[in-house]
Amino acid sequence: QVQLVESGGGSVQPGGSLTLSCAASGYSYCMGWFRQAPGKAREGVARIFRGSGNTYYVDSVKGRFTISLDRANNVLGLQMDSLKPEDTAMYYCAAHRSGYPPTWYGCDFGYWGQGTQVTVTS
């Protein structure tokens, strides 16, 4: 069992930056960030493999968001720059659990955090 606790959400103006963190209670083969805006489906934002460091980003955040993993402390990060109003959503940290859906770009995301709200507004 892996427990995940997110932090770092908040409100920011367009063009601003926020950094999200997710503390994991244990090792995970891969981890990622998802988001869900009101009335919309949950979508994957970014994913990272622990061993290779391989990353994947959804097109809408490429060049603006950076996912990172502190392997020693099991802390997943998401640096979000040049934020736009359409980035407003609840952001969730997720970790691999073999055989548990959803599977997104090679990682089975079976463990989930409670979420942290990100609001981008002027």
Side-chain angles (χ1 to χ4, degrees), residues 6 16 23 25 29 42 68 71-73 75 83 93 106 108 111:
E6 302 101 333
S25 64
Y29 169 68
R42 180 179 60 190
S68 62
R71 294 170 180 79
N73 296 299
V75 176
L83 282 160
C93 171
D108 299 338
Y111 295 110

Side-chain angles (χ1 to χ4, degrees), residues 8-98:
S11 184
V12 65
Q13 292 186 338
S17 298
L18 280 174
T19 302
L20 304 184
S21 294
C22 172
S25 64
Y27 168 95
S28 188
Y29 169 68
C30 50
M31 298 182 73
W33 291 96
F34 288 73
R35 66 186 180 186
Q36 186 166 21
K40 294 189 176 182
R42 180 179 60 190
E43 68 167 345
V45 175
R47 182 272 288 136
I48 186 166
F49 282 114
R50 185 186 190 94
S52 66
N54 178 270
T55 58
Y56 177 84
Y57 298 91
V58 68
D59 284 347
S60 60
V61 308
K62 284 181 181 176
R64 300 189 299 122
F65 290 11
T66 303
I67 190 171
S68 62
L69 179 60
D70 178 346
R71 294 170 180 79
N73 296 299
N74 290 327
V75 176
L76 182 71
L78 185 67
Q79 176 66 40
M80 304 185 294
D81 298 318
S82 302
L83 282 160
K84 304 175 181 180
E86 51 264 43
D87 294 318
T88 295
M90 184 71 78
Y91 283 70
Y92 297 92
C93 171
H96 181 75
R97 188 176 185 184
S98 184

